[in-house]
Amino acid sequence: MVNNFSRSTSFNRRALNVESPRFLSIPSPRALHVLSPKPLGFASPRVHHRLAWVSHLFPVLLLIGALISFIIVLGGGYMYVIPSLSQAFLGYDVLKFNDSSNVCDFFYGSWVIDDGYPLYNASECPFAEQGFNCLGNGREDKDYLKWRWKPKNCDIPRFNVHNVLEMLRDKRIVFVGDSMSRTQWESLICLLMTGVEDKKSVYEVNGNKITKRIRFLGVRFSSFNFTVEFFRSVFLVQHGWMPRHAPKRVRSTLKLDKLDDISNEWINADVLIFNTGQWWVPGKLFETEKSRRFCNVTQNPLSETEGRDQSIFSETIFEVIKNMTVPITVLHVTSMSAFRRDAHVGRWSDNPSIPDCSHWCLPGVPDVWNEIFLSYLLADYELPVVNGE
């Protein structure tokens, strides 16, 4: 979820980044069968069938209801936490840019080879987590680094680091979410560092190493007087452990009417990038039957998304967003990311015994998310978005 705002008119829109199953998405019904209770005894086959159907449907409705409540509460929470949103107006859109006589839909296109990529070397970026540095962890093929997203009717503006650094001068950029959010946070820092001459002028404000075990990380670009911060909040709302008399399969509780207790730390941010979804799954919320992980990383992008670009929950989320008082622009990167089975971490992490087909290699797909996001900000900031080469 990408929401940006500011006290100035330069950042006066909000955007929602939906990247299934990572950005405000819900698992498919196939993943929910593990929540079904055992069938009751002394019932006819027809009753068994009906009970099984209801037991499969209930978790789906439960999660849909939870997410709808969460989105509504989150929007209401913005009004309380962020004073500048008190003047918000009703708005909803899918991010598009005008390209001469055509309207550019950034999210309808294909991946093409581009020798101008990657945009940085993760081994030379001290803020790229070791677990996401696939080349540094032994991946030998480099083909996955050379793909650029090409919308059908236009091009994503080439990344111009100098324009971006100037745009972010004196600003505070805050990422809030889970490990996917941290990956995008690291990607943005590595992209920005390519335009900084004195690398030592970029540092973590508390001297911490980049790790998932720390709830707050902040990197300061002192030459430009701005910070890029990360707050770990996997649900965005308040999280508690299993109540005393709860069923045994319940692992934790979520207070959908209350933002995370660190939400006060987000006040006065000029740009807020929210992310949630990866933890809204049965294995995180309930005790389930653990299954073995299968992870097939390909050498090239898929020619078809194999249905992974679709979700029965997406339309529900969009309908809720349309009626929110906070203006939101949807950055729907689900489809474009679904092609990139080749770009997952796989076995090239800092823990190769556990294959990882959730997270992305750096450099990689999160860089493209940031390119689109920064292009949107640059257009709003009225700076040129073309490369000044």
Side-chain angles (χ1 to χ4, degrees):
M1 180 185 294
V2 177
N3 263 50
N4 76 78
F5 45 82
S6 173
R7 291 166 296 227
S8 68
T9 57
S10 299
F11 297 94
N12 59 3
R13 304 187 209 165
R14 288 91 191 162
L16 174 72
N17 197 345
V18 182
E19 198 283 325
S20 176
R22 299 163 187 92
F23 294 102
L24 197 58
S25 64
I26 312 176
S28 66
R30 290 175 295 178
L32 294 170
H33 73 277
V34 293
L35 301 183
S36 303
K38 293 181 179 179
L40 300 176
F42 308 106
S44 67
R46 179 174 298 179
V47 173
H48 277 301
H49 176 75
R50 290 178 178 174
L51 287 173
W53 181 84
V54 172
S55 64
H56 280 274
L57 180 61
F58 178 75
V60 178
L61 297 176
L62 177 65
L63 282 179
I64 289 178
L67 260 294
I68 291 175
S69 301
F70 164 74
I71 294 170
I72 294 172
V73 169
L74 187 61
Y78 290 157
M79 305 298 291
Y80 173 77
V81 176
I82 309 299
S84 64
L85 290 183
S86 61
Q87 299 177 355
F89 56 92
L90 181 64
Y92 166 83
D93 193 14
V94 176
L95 179 60
K96 296 179 182 179
F97 275 76
N98 290 327
D99 180 24
S100 60
S101 61
N102 297 320
V103 175
C104 175
D105 183 349
F106 271 7
F107 312 107
Y108 177 57
S110 59
W111 292 92
V112 297
I113 294 177
D114 189 327
D115 289 333
Y117 285 74
L119 299 176
Y120 59 88
N121 185 335
S123 297
E124 297 176 356
C125 178
F127 303 102
E129 197 171 328
Q130 183 62 36
F132 303 143
N133 183 2
C134 297
L135 284 181
N137 292 325
R139 183 165 181 173
E140 296 182 354
D141 72 287
K142 299 181 180 180
D143 294 344
Y144 73 97
L145 296 171
K146 297 293 185 180
W147 294 92
R148 170 175 61 87
W149 178 251
K150 172 67 174 69
K152 184 176 181 181
N153 296 324
C154 61
D155 285 301
I156 297 174
R158 292 285 183 172
F159 176 64
N160 187 319
V161 66
H162 301 294
N163 280 350
V164 174
L165 287 170
E166 286 299 326
M167 174 186 67
L168 298 181
R169 185 182 291 274
D170 302 325
K171 297 293 190 296
R172 182 186 178 212
I173 301 90
V174 175
F175 286 77
V176 182
D178 54 24
S179 55
M180 291 298 162
S181 183
R182 193 175 72 251
T183 308
Q184 188 176 1
W185 173 77
E186 295 175 21
S187 162
L188 179 60
I189 295 172
C190 292
L191 286 169
L192 296 176
M193 283 198 69
T194 62
V196 177
E197 293 184 7
D198 182 7
K199 306 300 183 185
K200 293 183 179 179
S201 68
V202 183
Y203 55 89
E204 205 285 323
V205 294
N206 294 315
N208 291 318
K209 293 184 63 177
I210 308 305
T211 172
K212 62 184 178 182
R213 294 179 174 83
I214 299 178
R215 197 169 189 193
F216 168 77
L217 292 164
V219 172
R220 178 172 174 77
F221 287 72
S222 58
S223 299
F224 296 88
N225 192 35
F226 71 81
T227 57
V228 185
E229 305 170 19
F230 169 73
F231 289 88
R232 186 176 186 271
S233 178
V234 297
F235 294 109
L236 304 184
V237 294
Q238 289 189 15
H239 171 266
W241 298 112
M242 181 181 68
R244 184 176 180 182
H245 299 295
K248 291 184 178 180
R249 69 185 186 130
V250 176
R251 299 181 61 179
S252 58
T253 60
L254 297 176
K255 297 181 179 179
L256 298 178
D257 59 340
K258 294 184 179 181
L259 288 174
D260 197 312
D261 54 10
I262 62 172
S263 59
N264 286 335
E265 301 293 332
W266 311 336
I267 294 177
N268 296 326
D270 294 292
V271 182
L272 263 175
I273 302 97
F274 286 100
N275 164 312
T276 189
Q278 190 175 356
W279 284 64
W280 293 81
V281 295
K284 302 291 186 180
L285 297 173
F286 302 88
E287 287 289 355
T288 59
E289 317 251 333
K290 296 188 183 286
S291 59
R292 184 179 177 183
R293 278 182 163 181
F294 293 94
C295 183
N296 178 27
V297 178
T298 58
Q299 187 166 354
N300 294 304
L302 301 176
S303 57
E304 301 289 340
T305 59
E306 300 176 350
R308 294 186 300 124
D309 60 329
Q310 303 293 328
S311 170
I312 63 172
F313 304 101
S314 294
E315 293 303 319
T316 302
I317 292 173
F318 294 156
E319 287 299 318
V320 173
I321 291 170
K322 286 181 181 179
N323 296 318
M324 290 177 63
T325 56
V326 178
I328 289 179
T329 298
V330 178
L331 308 182
H332 200 306
V333 298
T334 301
S335 297
M336 61 183 290
S337 303
F339 290 98
R340 296 305 307 277
R341 186 181 287 179
D342 60 312
H344 283 297
V345 170
R347 57 187 174 87
W348 298 284
S349 69
D350 52 354
N351 186 7
S353 63
I354 302 178
D356 184 351
C357 270
S358 295
H359 297 95
W360 304 94
C361 296
L362 290 181
V365 172
D367 304 329
V368 179
W369 301 341
N370 279 324
E371 284 188 274
I372 296 174
F373 168 60
L374 291 171
S375 297
Y376 168 68
L377 288 185
L378 283 167
D380 197 36
Y381 196 67
E382 298 182 350
L383 280 178
V385 294
V386 296
N387 196 335
E389 294 178 335

